[in-house]
Amino acid sequence: MDVLLAILSLFGLYGLVTLGIAVIFAATRVVNLAQGDLMMVGAYTAAVAAGPAFGWRVVLALVVSAPLLLLIERLLLRRPLADGLATMLVTWGVGMALRQAAELLFTSTSRTVEPPMAGAVTVLTTPYPAYRLACGLIAVAVIGLVLLVAYRTGWGLTLRAIADNATMAALLGTDPRRVRTLAFVLGGLLAVLAGALYSPVLAVNPTMGFSLLVPVFFGLLFSRPGALATAAGAALLIAALSVLLRAWMSDVLAEVLFYLIVIGVAALRSRPWIWRFSSWLSRLLLPARAS
Amino acid sequence: MAQPPSPPRTGILTVATLLALTGCGGSAISGGQDGQSGSLKIGVIVPLTGPVSATGTALRRGFELGVKKVNDNGGVNGKKVEYVVVDDAGNPATSTQLARKLIQQDQVSMIFGTITGDTAEAVARVADDAKVPFGTAILGDTERCYTYQWGFGETTRQMLTPAVPELLRKYGTKVAIVGSDYNYPHFYAGVAKELVKQAGGSILAEEYSPLGQADWQPVITRMKDAEPDVVLSMVVGADAVTFSQQAKQFGLLTPELGFEGAPLDTDYYPALSALVNGRTHTVRWTDGLDDAESRKFVADYRAAHDFKDPIPEVAGNAYFGVQFLLDAARKAAAFEGPAINTEIGRLTFDSPLGKGTRFESTNHRLQADMLEVTIKPGGAYEVSKKLGPIPDTTPKTGCA
């Protein structure tokens, strides 16, 4: 049970940030290198807004970050969007600027946030920190909600259409620029939410989001553009792999094995015969339907 | 039809602007005092940006106040002391380049600073090659000893020799060790294991985790299963905060558990105050010392920087350490590296760090007093026991 709860908690964190980066990638075909730093913005907002209750601080983080994200997208990303590399470099610069701003404002000394729920709850005979469980569950609920929007609403359909073929979607009357703006704001807000929610279990400092980029990138790498459920699934697999390896062996050995496995899987996926095999398999499992 | 944008040019321009704004154009260099012919110049290499910049800033402040005190008292042999501060951002490659630049271009007679072990080692190699004395102020041990490197921070043995028997007496003999996975925590654990065995205790768990760990649950679960009486932690940086916080949430870190190590340092107090209040910690210097020199330094430090948190120990070590080095320079015939280095090795110096402090020739570590402090609410690191001089004469490769 310990292991399952650990997977839930880590999946909540990885899942929110990965899903956010996948939403942005779906609409813009750009890897947002500032995603970890947006998470840091959420954590700092929860840490420094000491007055209101914790829940309100999380809301405040989202409210404060939304116009910031809109501004970044409108001022910095819209024009160079036609060049993916330039846009990715801009997001790298944005992340760096956010880290430096946090260091200037709050110094590099870590801060902590008191969890809104103290103590432990017992889950099937296993005592577990109450807030850790709560934030894992909230994160998973939000991930579910985003997937629901992506697969059951018109906006989700538009996003998936743009991810599939932006030119065709535009010819059919969709405004890709509007969808891209919305996707960037939504994707960024998911990272901000992850930072604010998980601030009581992490050390809040300017570089806190940077170290999270590696598992998040692997999550994005293992997902299909536009298929957000695959991004959430990849985040779940990465969280489970990390927790299981660390439960069975020392952290140092687990990390080496973790990277060997994920890099091995990434290398295998790029082989053409794997693509052919997975394509045949999907046709066998999900035969084409007339719609 | 709207004019199409010129994406590559716009992107490159934006990135260039951002990089310029974020200070990526190279390491910032700032001069200290006004230049003066024939003066003694020191190069200060510290991380003023990056993850350990808070500790680097504290070292710089302590160093600057130490130099100011010497200059206010007439300087060294009638010459004012100058210094040049450079930012290595905690990156050993940058530290090497900056050390070379300070020696070759700025013609410094001494180097002071660095925070992390790898940057100290990088500078020590350059200092040895150029025969320029190099002083560090951070606690802990580097891998090997260098002829021109001198460490003012306490060694692992000086920290743990008094602390381990006391912890085992107060809390029990079952010990767990946890650390970040790099050279120093492994070295720390080696010394700890030896001292725990000598004190009649046993090591039940030993855990290391790569730096940048966000989730400590597996480590904490294994440590909890071992049911230790004492946890010795050399988890450092932001990880020290994450580990301690999660250890409390999982019920490992309780008031009944003995806890000693890096998370009790003043650097982490603002983040971990509730977890460390009431605990004892072994240090070389604290802002709670009541001698006149320490009190003046503390008052000057707080006034100069409007600083309210506990003053990091590294600032005190730097303040008294640079005075030690400058006293050696005063005794040297000329402001030249080899002459000053010889005097550093010979000098005995009185300061709040101890009477007759001196460097051990076989390891170049300062033989000085140690203190047991009790951490009080509000961040007062009050001296609860003066432990006197704690020798560490363990020979190190390079000097022995």
Side-chain angles (χ1 to χ4, degrees):
Chain A
M1 188 39 107
D2 246 1
V3 170
L4 285 179
L5 292 170
I7 293 172
L8 170 80
S9 169
L10 200 59
F11 167 58
L13 180 63
Y14 286 0
L16 281 177
V17 186
T18 309
L19 197 59
I21 208 168
V23 167
I24 296 170
F25 189 76
T28 62
R29 279 293 192 276
V30 164
V31 179
N32 178 23
L33 296 173
Q35 192 75 351
D37 303 297
L38 291 171
M39 179 199 152
M40 176 270 295
V41 170
Y44 263 110
T45 313
V48 296
F54 182 77
W56 286 113
R57 280 185 268 161
V58 176
V59 174
L60 184 71
L62 296 173
V63 170
V64 167
S65 307
L68 175 75
L69 288 161
L70 194 68
L71 217 63
I72 291 171
E73 202 277 335
R74 286 280 161 90
L75 295 181
L76 299 173
L77 300 181
R78 178 153 286 194
R79 284 176 69 82
L81 204 57
D83 183 336
L85 182 64
T87 319
M88 203 161 82
L89 281 173
V90 171
T91 64
W92 175 253
V94 168
M96 210 184 244
L98 289 173
R99 283 197 297 282
Q100 294 286 331
E103 202 172 312
L104 277 174
L105 285 171
F106 310 113
T107 78
S108 64
T109 306
S110 295
R111 291 167 182 239
T112 49
V113 177
E114 199 56 36
M117 287 178 224
V121 288
T122 304
V123 186
L124 297 176
T125 72
T126 304
Y128 200 74
Y131 180 70
R132 210 177 161 90
L133 180 66
C135 79
L137 290 173
I138 293 169
V140 171
V142 173
I143 291 166
L145 195 68
V146 173
L147 292 181
L148 206 67
V149 169
Y151 288 97
R152 289 284 181 268
T153 66
W155 186 81
L157 187 67
T158 313
L159 177 73
R160 285 184 289 131
I162 285 174
D164 198 39
N165 190 334
T167 316
M168 183 60 77
L171 285 171
L172 293 173
T174 306
D175 179 4
R177 288 196 303 180
R178 205 164 142 258
V179 177
R180 280 174 188 149
T181 305
L182 264 172
F184 186 79
V185 173
L186 173 67
L189 283 180
L190 287 173
V192 170
L193 177 68
L197 264 183
Y198 278 80
S199 60
V201 296
L202 299 171
V204 180
N205 59 64
T207 54
M208 65 180 292
F210 200 63
S211 54
L212 204 72
L213 283 182
V214 175
V216 168
F217 284 166
F218 278 123
L220 186 65
L221 187 70
F222 294 147
S223 64
R224 279 205 318 275
L228 298 183
T230 61
L236 178 61
L237 283 177
I238 284 169
L241 179 68
S242 170
V243 169
L244 288 171
L245 288 174
R246 291 178 69 208
W248 291 329
M249 57 192 78
S250 76
D251 270 22
V252 179
L253 197 60
E255 188 176 75
V256 174
L257 259 180
F258 174 81
Y259 283 114
L260 279 177
I261 293 171
V262 291
I263 291 169
V265 172
L268 271 178
R269 278 186 87 235
S270 64
R271 299 274 168 191
W273 61 268
I274 290 276
W275 277 108
R276 251 174 270 141
F277 179 74
S278 66
S279 165
W280 292 335
L281 198 68
S282 61
R283 275 182 217 162
L284 281 174
L285 295 175
L286 297 165
R289 286 178 304 173
S291 53
Chain B
M1 201 172 183
Q3 181 77 15
S6 54
R9 209 171 50 186
T10 316
I12 291 163
L13 195 69
T14 315
V15 172
T17 312
L18 278 165
L19 289 176
L21 282 171
T22 53
C24 283
S27 298
I29 297 181
S30 64
Q33 311 280 317
D34 291 329
Q36 186 184 331
S37 169
S39 60
L40 176 63
K41 195 188 260 186
I42 306 176
V44 188
I45 303 175
V46 278
L48 297 173
T49 52
V52 284
S53 61
T55 316
T57 304
L59 185 147
R60 177 193 182 168
R61 289 170 174 176
F63 170 90
E64 287 179 333
L65 286 170
V67 171
K68 184 176 181 298
K69 187 186 170 196
V70 172
N71 279 339
D72 288 350
N73 290 330
V76 176
N77 296 338
K79 306 280 186 189
K80 292 281 179 196
V81 179
E82 291 177 44
Y83 56 87
V84 183
V85 183
V86 291
D87 174 16
D88 69 354
N91 180 340
T94 313
S95 313
T96 304
Q97 286 172 4
L98 291 173
R100 285 199 185 120
K101 184 200 161 290
L102 286 170
I103 293 165
Q104 289 163 6
Q105 287 181 29
D106 296 289
Q107 306 270 304
V108 297
S109 303
M110 281 192 267
I111 297 177
F112 199 87
T114 72
I115 296 298
T116 53
D118 51 357
T119 54
E121 195 129 359
V123 174
R125 285 172 196 273
V126 178
D128 246 28
D129 284 346
K131 296 187 169 37
V132 171
F134 164 46
T136 61
I138 198 80
L139 60 82
D141 304 63
T142 46
E143 278 285 291
R144 53 164 291 161
C145 180
Y146 291 86
T147 309
Y148 280 79
Q149 185 191 1
W150 307 90
F152 288 95
E154 60 269 46
T155 67
T156 312
R157 266 178 207 284
Q158 287 171 326
M159 281 186 284
L160 290 178
T161 301
V164 165
E166 185 62 14
L167 283 164
L168 268 58
R169 187 188 65 75
K170 262 166 84 174
Y171 296 99
T173 55
K174 294 182 286 177
V175 179
I177 301 174
V178 58
S180 300
D181 186 40
Y182 69 95
N183 291 354
Y184 179 61
H186 286 273
F187 178 82
Y188 174 90
V191 176
K193 281 192 272 188
E194 188 190 316
L195 294 170
V196 166
K197 202 175 163 193
Q198 276 174 23
S202 55
I203 304 290
L204 302 181
E206 189 177 345
E207 293 283 343
Y208 299 95
S209 203
L211 282 163
Q213 192 62 264
D215 177 28
W216 286 85
Q217 186 181 339
V219 169
I220 292 167
T221 306
R222 282 195 288 271
M223 291 179 76
K224 241 183 117 179
D225 290 346
E227 298 182 353
D229 301 316
V230 173
V231 167
L232 297 175
S233 167
M234 201 35 76
V235 180
V236 300
D239 288 8
V241 176
T242 317
F243 166 75
S244 308
Q245 201 177 12
Q246 294 184 8
K248 185 195 168 200
Q249 289 166 3
F250 277 97
L252 170 69
L253 201 52
T254 60
E256 291 73 38
L257 182 88
F259 188 49
E260 171 65 299
L264 273 72
D265 288 346
T266 46
D267 312 48
Y268 303 109
Y269 185 82
L272 296 177
S273 53
L275 283 175
V276 299
N277 280 336
R279 293 194 178 273
T280 56
H281 187 36
T282 311
V283 296
R284 167 150 292 159
W285 181 85
T286 167
D287 61 6
L289 268 171
D290 60 357
D291 64 277
E293 273 190 85
S294 292
R295 282 207 311 268
K296 179 167 181 349
F297 168 57
V298 169
D300 289 348
Y301 191 102
R302 293 201 185 285
H305 305 291
D306 191 25
F307 194 82
K308 292 180 182 66
D309 289 328
I311 295 176
E313 189 189 350
V314 71
N317 287 345
Y319 178 75
F320 297 111
V322 71
Q323 291 179 52
F324 185 113
L325 292 181
L326 292 174
D327 202 41
R330 184 179 60 79
K331 290 187 174 163
F335 292 157
E336 285 169 1
I340 298 172
N341 206 57
T342 307
E343 290 304 328
I344 294 170
R346 285 183 193 154
L347 189 71
T348 55
F349 187 77
D350 293 343
S351 76
L353 304 185
K355 275 204 181 305
T357 58
R358 59 167 189 85
F359 279 102
E360 169 64 34
S361 62
T362 57
N363 59 19
H364 283 202
R365 301 307 302 238
L366 193 71
Q367 305 300 303
D369 292 355
M370 293 297 292
L371 309 161
E372 183 199 90
V373 292
T374 301
I375 306 166
K376 300 282 168 136
Y381 278 56
E382 283 182 13
V383 180
S384 42
K385 205 184 283 177
K386 290 192 175 176
L387 302 165
I390 306 288
D392 180 0
T393 55
T394 319
K396 281 211 161 202
T397 313
C399 295

